[in-house]
Amino acid sequence: MKNKKDSLGRKKKVARIQNNFKASEKKIVKAEKRNSKNNRKVAKKQKKIERSEIKLSSRIRKIASKEKVNLNERIAAFSINKRRVRKNNFPVKLNLLNKKYMLLVIILCIIATIIAIFSINNKKHNSLISPKISRVEGYDEVLDKDNEVYGKEEGGITNKRININFDAFFLEEGANGIAKKVRGTCNRVGEQSNLYMDLSVFGGGKLKNATITINSNNFFLKTSFVKDGYVSNNYISNNTKTIKLGEIDESMQKLFIGTVCSGYYTSSSTRASAIGNDTSKYSMENSIIFAGTYEDEEGNLIDFEKEIPFIVDWFGEVDCNITPKQQSISSSNLEDSINGEEFNLEFTVTTEESKNQLIMSEANLSGIIPELNGYKPTKVEITGNGVEYTYDEKTGEFIAKKVATLDDNGIVISNAYNIETDYYTKLIRSNKFNFKVTYP
């Protein structure tokens, strides 16, 4: 009995120890959780402290920077005031704020304009009819019998009707919104239109040695004609001048379509290469000549030649900008501008034209030179390559310009711009106007 009692006592003790151990483990887990929470709180507080330190450091640097700038300006003002003495020996205080931003005032008073050939500004065009439609209304319309071809009889007289029809025309929309066949096309420089050449052979006979010649005086004709039973060769070109046809001995009809362009559209610098520097090429007569030999059913050979005239017109816009939009002179540079009793202000204004659609006739720059501390400039000079200028001392108004020079045939021999920068997708034509303004 005694052994049994001892055994039960030991088991109870072991059980109590195990329970106490488990309870201790739970307490340890809870304590660890509390420590983890406390560590996170501490970490958050440390981050807040670090952010506060960064903000405080930034504020200190800003305050120090401002104090340094103010100190430099005060030193500069003191240095300049020591040197600026007028004839009456009274010191004249320079307003650094006015000096620093005077150039900005000048720039805001400057207006740049570009005068170009055949410029049409859509923003100022109030008509309900577009400039293109207005021009199209003046072209001759194509009539039904205009496609007839006549051969040359003995003596060179062209009066024998042969079994061939040929015509060249454009399809343009009129003021009524209906497309019609006309002898002309009008487009913005850099855009295009289709030239249609309609050929048909009928009623027997053969067409031999036929050639289509494109007399393109102010445009390039882009074609993609592949050799077939009618065309003798491949004509895949951005500037096709001639199309030779094969021998055609059957009734047929074929419509050739070419694209009229103002230049090569692969780059902004060649967009108007068909016009070049010739001011007359914005509106010019061109022609298509269709010539060859026709063999009738009896074997008679009849030469023929038909010329079809038409007009190609180009128009465009100009886009003028001034760069930079604002300029400033800092207080640290003011001493360099003082020469004895004079204050010299030098700056450069650049005008830019970026449309590259029209030939520039003039580049004009106008504006007003303001007073400085109540004093007008004693001298204003504007220089540049080929720059002409006028300056009115009373009003402060100036006009500076660069003008193009033309020969007797209307071809530009000296451009209205000095710098040409090709950015591939955009060609910038610019001028630099160098100003030197002297104040007492």
Side-chain angles (χ1 to χ4, degrees):
M1 290 292 293
K2 186 177 181 180
N3 293 333
K4 287 183 179 179
K5 289 181 180 179
D6 292 340
S7 177
L8 288 172
R10 290 191 192 97
K11 288 180 179 179
K12 288 180 180 179
K13 286 181 179 180
V14 169
R16 284 197 300 271
I17 292 170
Q18 288 177 345
N19 290 334
N20 291 335
F21 181 75
K22 289 180 179 178
S24 300
E25 282 185 337
K26 290 181 180 179
K27 290 180 180 180
I28 291 169
V29 170
K30 288 182 180 179
E32 288 178 348
K33 288 183 179 179
R34 286 195 297 270
N35 290 335
S36 178
K37 289 182 180 178
N38 291 333
N39 289 336
R40 287 197 295 270
K41 290 181 180 179
V42 171
K44 288 182 179 179
K45 289 181 180 179
Q46 286 179 345
K47 288 183 179 180
K48 287 183 180 180
I49 293 171
E50 289 175 357
R51 286 197 294 268
S52 299
E53 289 176 348
I54 291 171
K55 289 181 180 179
L56 180 61
S57 176
S58 176
R59 288 176 182 174
I60 291 172
R61 286 197 300 270
K62 287 182 179 179
I63 293 170
S65 177
K66 288 182 180 179
E67 289 298 325
K68 184 177 180 180
V69 170
N70 292 336
L71 178 62
N72 289 338
E73 288 186 352
R74 288 196 295 269
I75 293 172
F78 177 76
S79 176
I80 292 170
N81 289 332
K82 284 176 64 179
R83 296 178 60 183
R84 291 283 292 166
V85 180
R86 295 185 59 82
K87 293 180 179 179
N88 55 13
N89 292 326
F90 287 97
V92 179
K93 181 179 180 181
L94 289 182
N95 189 329
L96 290 183
L97 186 62
N98 287 344
K99 287 287 186 180
K100 187 174 182 180
Y101 292 102
M102 181 181 66
L103 216 57
L104 173 60
V105 176
I106 294 175
I107 296 300
L108 292 178
C109 294
I110 291 177
I111 300 174
T113 56
I114 299 294
I115 301 174
I117 309 298
F118 286 93
S119 175
I120 298 177
N121 191 332
N122 288 334
K123 293 180 181 179
K124 297 181 180 180
H125 191 76
N126 297 321
S127 175
L128 296 177
I129 301 177
S130 71
K132 177 173 180 175
I133 293 179
S134 300
R135 188 68 183 96
V136 167
E137 291 298 314
Y139 297 141
D140 293 336
E141 290 192 37
V142 177
L143 304 178
D144 292 338
K145 291 187 177 182
D146 286 349
N147 63 353
E148 295 178 350
V149 178
Y150 290 84
K152 297 178 181 179
E153 293 187 330
E154 294 182 5
I157 301 174
T158 305
N159 60 5
K160 183 177 179 60
R161 177 73 168 96
I162 57 178
N163 295 336
I164 297 175
N165 288 336
F166 180 82
D167 207 353
F169 54 86
F170 296 91
L171 288 176
E172 296 288 357
E173 182 180 333
N176 57 2
I178 299 175
K180 57 184 178 180
K181 296 179 180 180
V182 292
R183 301 289 188 207
T185 184
C186 179
N187 298 283
R188 187 186 306 275
V189 173
E191 297 181 358
Q192 60 193 35
S193 61
N194 289 332
L195 173 63
Y196 299 91
M197 296 168 283
D198 191 10
L199 169 66
S200 62
V201 180
F202 57 91
K206 297 179 181 180
L207 177 62
K208 297 182 176 182
N209 303 322
T211 301
I212 300 173
T213 303
I214 301 98
N215 294 321
S216 51
N217 297 318
N218 69 334
F219 72 91
F220 292 161
L221 186 67
K222 184 179 179 180
T223 61
S224 299
F225 303 145
V226 180
K227 181 180 179 181
D228 57 15
Y230 306 125
V231 180
S232 63
N233 295 298
N234 293 329
Y235 293 96
I236 302 174
S237 171
N238 290 322
N239 187 14
T240 301
K241 292 292 186 179
T242 304
I243 304 169
K244 292 184 179 181
L245 306 179
E247 183 173 312
I248 301 173
D249 57 1
E250 59 183 6
S251 296
M252 56 77 70
Q253 183 173 7
K254 186 174 180 64
L255 182 64
F256 299 92
I257 303 176
T259 304
V260 171
C261 304
S262 60
Y264 300 115
Y265 293 170
T266 54
S267 172
S268 60
S269 61
T270 58
R271 183 183 298 143
S273 52
I275 300 169
N277 286 331
D278 192 341
T279 58
S280 66
K281 288 190 175 183
Y282 282 97
S283 180
M284 187 169 283
E285 183 176 288
N286 305 267
S287 68
I288 296 290
I289 297 177
F290 177 55
T293 302
Y294 175 71
E295 182 179 339
D296 63 18
E297 295 177 330
E298 298 175 356
N300 298 316
L301 299 178
I302 304 171
D303 294 332
F304 64 87
E305 181 176 302
K306 179 179 181 179
E307 183 174 9
I308 305 166
F310 56 88
I311 296 173
V312 173
D313 291 313
W314 300 104
F315 67 93
E317 297 176 330
V318 293
D319 182 25
C320 185
N321 293 300
I322 298 175
T323 59
K325 296 298 183 184
Q326 74 176 55
Q327 300 181 49
S328 62
I329 179 170
S330 63
S331 58
S332 60
N333 296 328
L334 286 176
E335 274 195 60
D336 297 334
S337 301
I338 298 173
N339 182 18
E341 296 185 354
E342 293 182 340
F343 177 77
N344 295 316
L345 183 62
E346 297 184 11
F347 59 95
T348 298
V349 177
T350 302
T351 60
E352 295 182 346
E353 200 290 316
S354 58
K355 290 284 188 180
N356 192 33
Q357 295 179 1
L358 304 173
I359 297 173
M360 289 172 54
S361 175
E362 290 184 15
N364 291 333
L365 192 68
S366 60
I368 298 174
I369 304 295
E371 295 181 357
L372 179 62
N373 286 343
Y375 294 98
K376 293 182 178 181
T378 57
K379 188 177 181 181
V380 173
E381 295 176 285
I382 307 174
T383 59
N385 190 359
V387 171
E388 304 173 0
Y389 77 98
T390 59
Y391 173 68
D392 190 326
E393 295 181 355
K394 294 181 180 179
T395 63
E397 295 180 359
F398 69 87
I399 298 175
K401 61 183 179 180
K402 165 75 172 172
V403 182
T405 305
L406 309 180
D407 65 11
D408 295 337
N409 297 317
I411 298 175
V412 177
I413 57 178
S414 177
N415 288 309
Y417 57 90
N418 295 320
I419 305 169
E420 188 175 78
T421 308
D422 189 0
Y423 295 102
Y424 191 72
T425 58
K426 181 181 288 188
L427 182 72
I428 303 296
R429 299 178 292 180
S430 57
N431 284 298
K432 289 187 180 294
F433 296 86
N434 304 310
F435 286 74
K436 183 178 182 181
V437 183
T438 303
Y439 288 96

